Amino acid sequence: MANRYRCPFQNLLILDFKTTSEENNFDFPTEIIQISASVLNIRDKLIREDLTFNTFVRPVINPVLSEYCSRLTGIDQDTINSADTFPVVYNQFVAWLREHNFQERTYAFVCENNQNFWRFAQYQFLLLDQAIPAMFRQWCSLEHVFENLLPQRNLNNVPGETLVEKTSNHYNIEFTGNEHNAMDKSSFLAKVTKRILDDNNLITVNHDLRCFAGKRNIPLDVDPNWKTSFQSAMLVFERMLPLVFSYAVVYFPEDHYGKCRFCQRLSDVCNGLDSEQYPDDLFEQLAEPSVFAMAARLVDDDDEE
């Protein structure tokens, strides 16, 4: 084990969100219903079991959870009914960060992949008509780190269907709980993150949100069945969502934190909504209006007709 972890931050916050959902329907206005974070102290090489954040969130657009969502996450309707809405919980999370002296630029978020910030967080703030906060503009995708450590960088060679299953098998770290519960997942991924660091591997920011990505200039032939196909839906969302995720080859907190790597503007100015990559061609291909887009005001009703 190395004397020091290869990580440029004081703490890593392993974060996970859970959202509303419907079975076999990806054209759905997802709202965050659980926010959970575990803490890995870099100096002490210690997972802070005494220091976690775990709060449920009451959705507004679809306040009643689908049977599928409740069964998947294990979150019941009574828990949701008694929870605060997202703006309140977000403020509680910010207060928790301040209470424990997690100062911006001294910590980084680690998450399973790009879904948490690019899709879930970005969309949640679009629903509120607010810019996504600077702290959610960059993160470490654990999937990306793990894949790069594998021979031939091939996740398919590791047994398991999900990243949790694959890392559990690869590192022989037991997973307990529900993989679709945010607290259970963040606790487990904190152990995986620590193991990767213990093996003298680098953990740092490797992805960020930007207002422009070259691949969005390539026309997309929309799958007519995109609403029921995860892969096809993600291609559609890459065009619909104003900010896109991109690989951050180099990251320095003082220079890059909360700043768009394309236009160089800060997060409260760069929202991607004025980008020239507005997906008119995509909306023209849709056989029926997108609920996902309309709920977040990404397209006018007239444009979807």
Side-chain angles (χ1 to χ4, degrees), residues 208-245:
D208 58 25
L209 289 177
R210 309 180 185 192
C211 66
F212 183 94
K215 65 181 179 182
R216 289 211 295 186
N217 287 330
I218 302 173
L220 174 68
D221 292 328
V222 177
D223 178 359
N225 300 314
W226 73 271
K227 294 189 176 188
T228 58
S229 166
F230 176 79
Q231 296 297 336
S232 296
M234 294 310 105
L235 292 175
V236 169
F237 294 157
E238 284 180 3
R239 266 69 173 182
M240 283 184 177
L241 289 170
L243 298 172
V244 295
F245 65 86

mmCIF file of all heavy atoms in Angstrom, residues 208-245:
data_model
loop_
_atom_site.group_PDB
_atom_site.id
_atom_site.type_symbol
_atom_site.label_atom_id
_atom_site.label_comp_id
_atom_site.label_asym_id
_atom_site.label_seq_id
_atom_site.Cartn_x
_atom_site.Cartn_y
_atom_site.Cartn_z
ATOM 1 N N ASP A 208 -16.845 15.949 -17.018
ATOM 2 C CA ASP A 208 -17.474 17.217 -16.684
ATOM 3 C C ASP A 208 -18.620 17.498 -17.643
ATOM 4 O O ASP A 208 -18.831 16.772 -18.618
ATOM 5 C CB ASP A 208 -16.459 18.369 -16.692
ATOM 6 C CG ASP A 208 -15.750 18.533 -18.023
ATOM 7 O OD1 ASP A 208 -16.311 18.125 -19.062
ATOM 8 O OD2 ASP A 208 -14.624 19.073 -18.038
ATOM 9 N N LEU A 209 -19.374 18.547 -17.322
ATOM 10 C CA LEU A 209 -20.470 18.986 -18.170
ATOM 11 C C LEU A 209 -20.027 20.178 -18.997
ATOM 12 O O LEU A 209 -19.404 21.105 -18.473
ATOM 13 C CB LEU A 209 -21.686 19.368 -17.319
ATOM 14 C CG LEU A 209 -22.430 18.224 -16.635
ATOM 15 C CD1 LEU A 209 -23.565 18.768 -15.777
ATOM 16 C CD2 LEU A 209 -22.968 17.228 -17.650
ATOM 17 N N ARG A 210 -20.366 20.164 -20.272
ATOM 18 C CA ARG A 210 -19.996 21.232 -21.189
ATOM 19 C C ARG A 210 -21.201 21.612 -22.045
ATOM 20 O O ARG A 210 -22.147 20.831 -22.185
ATOM 21 C CB ARG A 210 -18.843 20.799 -22.097
ATOM 22 C CG ARG A 210 -17.666 20.213 -21.346
ATOM 23 C CD ARG A 210 -16.546 19.791 -22.259
ATOM 24 N NE ARG A 210 -15.478 19.131 -21.494
ATOM 25 C CZ ARG A 210 -14.284 18.858 -21.969
ATOM 26 N NH1 ARG A 210 -13.993 19.167 -23.218
ATOM 27 N NH2 ARG A 210 -13.364 18.261 -21.222
ATOM 28 N N CYS A 211 -21.128 22.800 -22.641
ATOM 29 C CA CYS A 211 -22.247 23.262 -23.471
ATOM 30 C C CYS A 211 -22.143 22.785 -24.902
ATOM 31 O O CYS A 211 -23.076 22.974 -25.693
ATOM 32 C CB CYS A 211 -22.332 24.786 -23.427
ATOM 33 S SG CYS A 211 -20.919 25.651 -24.203
ATOM 34 N N PHE A 212 -21.034 22.173 -25.262
ATOM 35 C CA PHE A 212 -20.826 21.788 -26.655
ATOM 36 C C PHE A 212 -20.087 20.466 -26.724
ATOM 37 O O PHE A 212 -19.159 20.226 -25.945
ATOM 38 C CB PHE A 212 -20.008 22.868 -27.381
ATOM 39 C CG PHE A 212 -19.793 22.596 -28.846
ATOM 40 C CD1 PHE A 212 -20.652 23.133 -29.786
ATOM 41 C CD2 PHE A 212 -18.737 21.813 -29.282
ATOM 42 C CE1 PHE A 212 -20.450 22.894 -31.146
ATOM 43 C CE2 PHE A 212 -18.536 21.576 -30.636
ATOM 44 C CZ PHE A 212 -19.388 22.115 -31.577
ATOM 45 N N ALA A 213 -20.500 19.612 -27.631
ATOM 46 C CA ALA A 213 -19.769 18.377 -27.924
ATOM 47 C C ALA A 213 -19.884 18.100 -29.409
ATOM 48 O O ALA A 213 -20.976 18.131 -29.976
ATOM 49 C CB ALA A 213 -20.324 17.203 -27.122
ATOM 50 N N GLY A 214 -18.760 17.858 -30.042
ATOM 51 C CA GLY A 214 -18.733 17.695 -31.487
ATOM 52 C C GLY A 214 -19.671 16.636 -32.015
ATOM 53 O O GLY A 214 -20.261 16.794 -33.083
ATOM 54 N N LYS A 215 -19.850 15.550 -31.242
ATOM 55 C CA LYS A 215 -20.665 14.451 -31.758
ATOM 56 C C LYS A 215 -22.129 14.842 -31.924
ATOM 57 O O LYS A 215 -22.871 14.199 -32.658
ATOM 58 C CB LYS A 215 -20.547 13.234 -30.841
ATOM 59 C CG LYS A 215 -21.102 13.427 -29.443
ATOM 60 C CD LYS A 215 -20.897 12.165 -28.612
ATOM 61 C CE LYS A 215 -21.421 12.331 -27.198
ATOM 62 N NZ LYS A 215 -21.195 11.132 -26.377
ATOM 63 N N ARG A 216 -22.552 15.926 -31.248
ATOM 64 C CA ARG A 216 -23.948 16.338 -31.397
ATOM 65 C C ARG A 216 -24.201 17.008 -32.744
ATOM 66 O O ARG A 216 -25.353 17.271 -33.096
ATOM 67 C CB ARG A 216 -24.352 17.280 -30.258
ATOM 68 C CG ARG A 216 -24.470 16.546 -28.929
ATOM 69 C CD ARG A 216 -25.494 17.164 -28.031
ATOM 70 N NE ARG A 216 -25.135 18.513 -27.601
ATOM 71 C CZ ARG A 216 -25.833 19.206 -26.704
ATOM 72 N NH1 ARG A 216 -26.904 18.682 -26.155
ATOM 73 N NH2 ARG A 216 -25.443 20.414 -26.360
ATOM 74 N N ASN A 217 -23.148 17.302 -33.472
ATOM 75 C CA ASN A 217 -23.321 17.833 -34.821
ATOM 76 C C ASN A 217 -23.616 16.728 -35.823
ATOM 77 O O ASN A 217 -23.972 17.002 -36.970
ATOM 78 C CB ASN A 217 -22.059 18.591 -35.258
ATOM 79 C CG ASN A 217 -21.932 19.925 -34.545
ATOM 80 O OD1 ASN A 217 -22.927 20.530 -34.184
ATOM 81 N ND2 ASN A 217 -20.710 20.373 -34.343
ATOM 82 N N ILE A 218 -23.428 15.488 -35.416
ATOM 83 C CA ILE A 218 -23.710 14.353 -36.290
ATOM 84 C C ILE A 218 -25.200 14.032 -36.207
ATOM 85 O O ILE A 218 -25.718 13.761 -35.119
ATOM 86 C CB ILE A 218 -22.886 13.121 -35.868
ATOM 87 C CG1 ILE A 218 -21.389 13.448 -35.890
ATOM 88 C CG2 ILE A 218 -23.198 11.941 -36.766
ATOM 89 C CD1 ILE A 218 -20.518 12.343 -35.334
ATOM 90 N N PRO A 219 -25.935 14.085 -37.297
ATOM 91 C CA PRO A 219 -27.379 13.822 -37.250
ATOM 92 C C PRO A 219 -27.671 12.451 -36.645
ATOM 93 O O PRO A 219 -26.935 11.485 -36.850
ATOM 94 C CB PRO A 219 -27.800 13.876 -38.723
ATOM 95 C CG PRO A 219 -26.751 14.708 -39.386
ATOM 96 C CD PRO A 219 -25.467 14.401 -38.651
ATOM 97 N N LEU A 220 -28.743 12.392 -35.883
ATOM 98 C CA LEU A 220 -29.150 11.145 -35.244
ATOM 99 C C LEU A 220 -30.417 10.625 -35.901
ATOM 100 O O LEU A 220 -31.417 11.340 -35.992
ATOM 101 C CB LEU A 220 -29.404 11.374 -33.748
ATOM 102 C CG LEU A 220 -29.974 10.177 -32.978
ATOM 103 C CD1 LEU A 220 -28.935 9.059 -32.879
ATOM 104 C CD2 LEU A 220 -30.438 10.594 -31.582
ATOM 105 N N ASP A 221 -30.353 9.391 -36.358
ATOM 106 C CA ASP A 221 -31.562 8.714 -36.836
ATOM 107 C C ASP A 221 -32.246 8.108 -35.613
ATOM 108 O O ASP A 221 -31.788 7.098 -35.070
ATOM 109 C CB ASP A 221 -31.216 7.634 -37.859
ATOM 110 C CG ASP A 221 -30.695 8.215 -39.162
ATOM 111 O OD1 ASP A 221 -31.130 9.318 -39.528
ATOM 112 O OD2 ASP A 221 -29.838 7.568 -39.797
ATOM 113 N N VAL A 222 -33.326 8.732 -35.190
ATOM 114 C CA VAL A 222 -33.974 8.334 -33.942
ATOM 115 C C VAL A 222 -34.642 6.967 -34.094
ATOM 116 O O VAL A 222 -35.395 6.728 -35.041
ATOM 117 C CB VAL A 222 -35.009 9.382 -33.516
ATOM 118 C CG1 VAL A 222 -35.737 8.927 -32.245
ATOM 119 C CG2 VAL A 222 -34.336 10.725 -33.286
ATOM 120 N N ASP A 223 -34.355 6.086 -33.168
ATOM 121 C CA ASP A 223 -35.008 4.784 -33.107
ATOM 122 C C ASP A 223 -36.496 5.008 -32.817
ATOM 123 O O ASP A 223 -36.839 5.646 -31.821
ATOM 124 C CB ASP A 223 -34.359 3.958 -31.989
ATOM 125 C CG ASP A 223 -34.994 2.596 -31.801
ATOM 126 O OD1 ASP A 223 -35.960 2.266 -32.508
ATOM 127 O OD2 ASP A 223 -34.512 1.856 -30.906
ATOM 128 N N PRO A 224 -37.386 4.512 -33.674
ATOM 129 C CA PRO A 224 -38.827 4.700 -33.414
ATOM 130 C C PRO A 224 -39.259 4.155 -32.051
ATOM 131 O O PRO A 224 -40.258 4.620 -31.488
ATOM 132 C CB PRO A 224 -39.492 3.931 -34.558
ATOM 133 C CG PRO A 224 -38.460 3.860 -35.634
ATOM 134 C CD PRO A 224 -37.144 3.781 -34.916
ATOM 135 N N ASN A 225 -38.505 3.210 -31.520
ATOM 136 C CA ASN A 225 -38.835 2.604 -30.227
ATOM 137 C C ASN A 225 -37.956 3.129 -29.099
ATOM 138 O O ASN A 225 -37.738 2.449 -28.104
ATOM 139 C CB ASN A 225 -38.706 1.082 -30.324
ATOM 140 C CG ASN A 225 -39.636 0.487 -31.363
ATOM 141 O OD1 ASN A 225 -40.819 0.829 -31.424
ATOM 142 N ND2 ASN A 225 -39.115 -0.394 -32.192
ATOM 143 N N TRP A 226 -37.456 4.378 -29.240
ATOM 144 C CA TRP A 226 -36.512 4.912 -28.270
ATOM 145 C C TRP A 226 -37.088 4.990 -26.863
ATOM 146 O O TRP A 226 -36.349 4.884 -25.886
ATOM 147 C CB TRP A 226 -36.019 6.286 -28.720
ATOM 148 C CG TRP A 226 -37.008 7.411 -28.592
ATOM 149 C CD1 TRP A 226 -37.923 7.803 -29.521
ATOM 150 C CD2 TRP A 226 -37.161 8.288 -27.477
ATOM 151 N NE1 TRP A 226 -38.654 8.869 -29.064
ATOM 152 C CE2 TRP A 226 -38.192 9.195 -27.817
ATOM 153 C CE3 TRP A 226 -36.538 8.406 -26.239
ATOM 154 C CZ2 TRP A 226 -38.622 10.199 -26.936
ATOM 155 C CZ3 TRP A 226 -36.954 9.413 -25.366
ATOM 156 C CH2 TRP A 226 -37.987 10.291 -25.718
ATOM 157 N N LYS A 227 -38.379 5.163 -26.751
ATOM 158 C CA LYS A 227 -38.985 5.334 -25.427
ATOM 159 C C LYS A 227 -38.895 4.079 -24.567
ATOM 160 O O LYS A 227 -38.970 4.163 -23.343
ATOM 161 C CB LYS A 227 -40.450 5.756 -25.558
ATOM 162 C CG LYS A 227 -40.632 7.135 -26.163
ATOM 163 C CD LYS A 227 -42.076 7.594 -26.078
ATOM 164 C CE LYS A 227 -42.224 9.020 -26.607
ATOM 165 N NZ LYS A 227 -43.580 9.558 -26.353
ATOM 166 N N THR A 228 -38.719 2.929 -25.188
ATOM 167 C CA THR A 228 -38.647 1.678 -24.438
ATOM 168 C C THR A 228 -37.273 1.039 -24.493
ATOM 169 O O THR A 228 -37.088 -0.071 -23.984
ATOM 170 C CB THR A 228 -39.689 0.669 -24.966
ATOM 171 O OG1 THR A 228 -39.456 0.439 -26.362
ATOM 172 C CG2 THR A 228 -41.106 1.197 -24.771
ATOM 173 N N SER A 229 -36.292 1.722 -25.102
ATOM 174 C CA SER A 229 -34.931 1.203 -25.217
ATOM 175 C C SER A 229 -33.968 2.121 -24.481
ATOM 176 O O SER A 229 -33.847 3.302 -24.832
ATOM 177 C CB SER A 229 -34.530 1.093 -26.693
ATOM 178 O OG SER A 229 -33.131 0.901 -26.831
ATOM 179 N N PHE A 230 -33.262 1.598 -23.487
ATOM 180 C CA PHE A 230 -32.350 2.426 -22.703
ATOM 181 C C PHE A 230 -31.280 3.049 -23.580
ATOM 182 O O PHE A 230 -31.042 4.265 -23.522
ATOM 183 C CB PHE A 230 -31.701 1.591 -21.593
ATOM 184 C CG PHE A 230 -30.673 2.357 -20.799
ATOM 185 C CD1 PHE A 230 -31.047 3.239 -19.803
ATOM 186 C CD2 PHE A 230 -29.314 2.195 -21.066
ATOM 187 C CE1 PHE A 230 -30.098 3.960 -19.085
ATOM 188 C CE2 PHE A 230 -28.358 2.901 -20.355
ATOM 189 C CZ PHE A 230 -28.753 3.781 -19.358
ATOM 190 N N GLN A 231 -30.600 2.254 -24.397
ATOM 191 C CA GLN A 231 -29.521 2.761 -25.223
ATOM 192 C C GLN A 231 -30.014 3.825 -26.200
ATOM 193 O O GLN A 231 -29.373 4.876 -26.377
ATOM 194 C CB GLN A 231 -28.852 1.608 -25.987
ATOM 195 C CG GLN A 231 -28.175 0.575 -25.108
ATOM 196 C CD GLN A 231 -27.017 1.166 -24.305
ATOM 197 O OE1 GLN A 231 -26.433 2.176 -24.669
ATOM 198 N NE2 GLN A 231 -26.685 0.526 -23.188
ATOM 199 N N SER A 232 -31.143 3.594 -26.839
ATOM 200 C CA SER A 232 -31.692 4.568 -27.777
ATOM 201 C C SER A 232 -32.132 5.839 -27.065
ATOM 202 O O SER A 232 -31.943 6.943 -27.575
ATOM 203 C CB SER A 232 -32.875 3.957 -28.537
ATOM 204 O OG SER A 232 -32.463 2.870 -29.338
ATOM 205 N N ALA A 233 -32.709 5.687 -25.879
ATOM 206 C CA ALA A 233 -33.145 6.854 -25.109
ATOM 207 C C ALA A 233 -31.960 7.719 -24.712
ATOM 208 O O ALA A 233 -32.036 8.952 -24.740
ATOM 209 C CB ALA A 233 -33.919 6.408 -23.877
ATOM 210 N N MET A 234 -30.831 7.100 -24.354
ATOM 211 C CA MET A 234 -29.661 7.879 -23.960
ATOM 212 C C MET A 234 -29.126 8.688 -25.143
ATOM 213 O O MET A 234 -28.665 9.819 -24.967
ATOM 214 C CB MET A 234 -28.570 6.970 -23.412
ATOM 215 C CG MET A 234 -28.934 6.279 -22.095
ATOM 216 S SD MET A 234 -29.587 7.364 -20.805
ATOM 217 C CE MET A 234 -31.342 6.937 -20.853
ATOM 218 N N LEU A 235 -29.195 8.141 -26.354
ATOM 219 C CA LEU A 235 -28.773 8.884 -27.531
ATOM 220 C C LEU A 235 -29.679 10.093 -27.756
ATOM 221 O O LEU A 235 -29.214 11.175 -28.139
ATOM 222 C CB LEU A 235 -28.794 7.975 -28.761
ATOM 223 C CG LEU A 235 -27.759 6.849 -28.794
ATOM 224 C CD1 LEU A 235 -27.979 5.962 -30.016
ATOM 225 C CD2 LEU A 235 -26.342 7.409 -28.796
ATOM 226 N N VAL A 236 -30.957 9.913 -27.512
ATOM 227 C CA VAL A 236 -31.900 11.027 -27.636
ATOM 228 C C VAL A 236 -31.622 12.081 -26.571
ATOM 229 O O VAL A 236 -31.582 13.279 -26.854
ATOM 230 C CB VAL A 236 -33.348 10.507 -27.531
ATOM 231 C CG1 VAL A 236 -34.332 11.670 -27.384
ATOM 232 C CG2 VAL A 236 -33.706 9.676 -28.756
ATOM 233 N N PHE A 237 -31.382 11.643 -25.330
ATOM 234 C CA PHE A 237 -31.138 12.592 -24.238
ATOM 235 C C PHE A 237 -29.825 13.358 -24.438
ATOM 236 O O PHE A 237 -29.701 14.498 -24.004
ATOM 237 C CB PHE A 237 -31.114 11.866 -22.896
ATOM 238 C CG PHE A 237 -32.438 11.271 -22.494
ATOM 239 C CD1 PHE A 237 -32.496 10.225 -21.589
ATOM 240 C CD2 PHE A 237 -33.624 11.746 -23.034
ATOM 241 C CE1 PHE A 237 -33.719 9.671 -21.221
ATOM 242 C CE2 PHE A 237 -34.845 11.190 -22.679
ATOM 243 C CZ PHE A 237 -34.889 10.152 -21.772
ATOM 244 N N GLU A 238 -28.853 12.726 -25.098
ATOM 245 C CA GLU A 238 -27.600 13.421 -25.392
ATOM 246 C C GLU A 238 -27.837 14.634 -26.287
ATOM 247 O O GLU A 238 -27.071 15.591 -26.253
ATOM 248 C CB GLU A 238 -26.603 12.466 -26.053
ATOM 249 C CG GLU A 238 -25.948 11.498 -25.087
ATOM 250 C CD GLU A 238 -24.966 10.567 -25.765
ATOM 251 O OE1 GLU A 238 -24.754 10.721 -26.988
ATOM 252 O OE2 GLU A 238 -24.401 9.700 -25.081
ATOM 253 N N ARG A 239 -28.903 14.580 -27.091
ATOM 254 C CA ARG A 239 -29.259 15.731 -27.923
ATOM 255 C C ARG A 239 -30.176 16.695 -27.170
ATOM 256 O O ARG A 239 -30.055 17.903 -27.310
ATOM 257 C CB ARG A 239 -29.965 15.262 -29.199
ATOM 258 C CG ARG A 239 -29.060 15.063 -30.397
ATOM 259 C CD ARG A 239 -28.134 13.891 -30.244
ATOM 260 N NE ARG A 239 -27.391 13.619 -31.485
ATOM 261 C CZ ARG A 239 -26.549 12.612 -31.619
ATOM 262 N NH1 ARG A 239 -26.334 11.788 -30.602
ATOM 263 N NH2 ARG A 239 -25.891 12.427 -32.746
ATOM 264 N N MET A 240 -31.095 16.160 -26.392
ATOM 265 C CA MET A 240 -32.096 16.990 -25.734
ATOM 266 C C MET A 240 -31.518 17.822 -24.590
ATOM 267 O O MET A 240 -31.826 19.010 -24.459
ATOM 268 C CB MET A 240 -33.221 16.111 -25.184
ATOM 269 C CG MET A 240 -34.208 15.595 -26.202
ATOM 270 S SD MET A 240 -35.518 14.680 -25.356
ATOM 271 C CE MET A 240 -36.578 14.260 -26.749
ATOM 272 N N LEU A 241 -30.709 17.188 -23.742
ATOM 273 C CA LEU A 241 -30.217 17.887 -22.562
ATOM 274 C C LEU A 241 -29.207 18.952 -22.969
ATOM 275 O O LEU A 241 -28.299 18.676 -23.768
ATOM 276 C CB LEU A 241 -29.594 16.890 -21.591
ATOM 277 C CG LEU A 241 -30.598 15.975 -20.879
ATOM 278 C CD1 LEU A 241 -29.885 14.855 -20.127
ATOM 279 C CD2 LEU A 241 -31.486 16.775 -19.935
ATOM 280 N N PRO A 242 -29.321 20.153 -22.435
ATOM 281 C CA PRO A 242 -28.474 21.271 -22.887
ATOM 282 C C PRO A 242 -26.983 21.046 -22.681
ATOM 283 O O PRO A 242 -26.179 21.406 -23.534
ATOM 284 C CB PRO A 242 -28.968 22.451 -22.037
ATOM 285 C CG PRO A 242 -30.338 22.069 -21.607
ATOM 286 C CD PRO A 242 -30.331 20.591 -21.457
ATOM 287 N N LEU A 243 -26.609 20.473 -21.532
ATOM 288 C CA LEU A 243 -25.200 20.221 -21.244
ATOM 289 C C LEU A 243 -24.869 18.764 -21.513
ATOM 290 O O LEU A 243 -25.665 17.865 -21.222
ATOM 291 C CB LEU A 243 -24.882 20.558 -19.790
ATOM 292 C CG LEU A 243 -25.091 22.024 -19.388
ATOM 293 C CD1 LEU A 243 -24.943 22.187 -17.878
ATOM 294 C CD2 LEU A 243 -24.118 22.937 -20.119
ATOM 295 N N VAL A 244 -23.708 18.527 -22.066
ATOM 296 C CA VAL A 244 -23.284 17.173 -22.392
ATOM 297 C C VAL A 244 -22.100 16.789 -21.510
ATOM 298 O O VAL A 244 -21.346 17.642 -21.056
ATOM 299 C CB VAL A 244 -22.892 17.055 -23.879
ATOM 300 C CG1 VAL A 244 -24.102 17.282 -24.760
ATOM 301 C CG2 VAL A 244 -21.783 18.038 -24.227
ATOM 302 N N PHE A 245 -21.936 15.498 -21.257
ATOM 303 C CA PHE A 245 -20.782 15.055 -20.484
ATOM 304 C C PHE A 245 -19.622 14.780 -21.424
ATOM 305 O O PHE A 245 -19.806 14.352 -22.566
ATOM 306 C CB PHE A 245 -21.103 13.823 -19.636
ATOM 307 C CG PHE A 245 -21.430 12.584 -20.425
ATOM 308 C CD1 PHE A 245 -20.430 11.737 -20.883
ATOM 309 C CD2 PHE A 245 -22.751 12.251 -20.693
ATOM 310 C CE1 PHE A 245 -20.725 10.586 -21.598
ATOM 311 C CE2 PHE A 245 -23.064 11.097 -21.405
ATOM 312 C CZ PHE A 245 -22.051 10.269 -21.862
#
